[in-house]
Amino acid sequence: MDFTTRLLLGVTALVVLGYISFVYGSCAGDPDCHLRVCGRQFCGVVSSNAQDRPAP
């Protein structure tokens, strides 16, 4: 592989990791955000409203 190909692969990997850490990292700080599980794998982020939660 030449330098340009390696550079583009590295930039793509950083962008994908940055996006995943932004989405799941911002979900970790939000009490209304939950990770949705499909079988044994995480398949998305679900945000629930305050109406959906039972009152304390």
Side-chain angles (χ1 to χ4, degrees), residues 7-48:
L7 179 67
L8 289 174
L9 284 173
V11 168
T12 303
L14 286 175
V15 168
V16 169
L17 289 174
Y19 175 75
I20 290 172
S21 65
F22 174 74
V23 169
Y24 291 110
S26 62
C27 184
D30 186 7
D32 293 332
C33 185
H34 308 287
L35 298 176
R36 188 173 79 184
V37 178
C38 299
R40 293 185 193 177
Q41 300 175 345
F42 293 116
C43 59
V45 175
V46 179
S47 182
S48 62

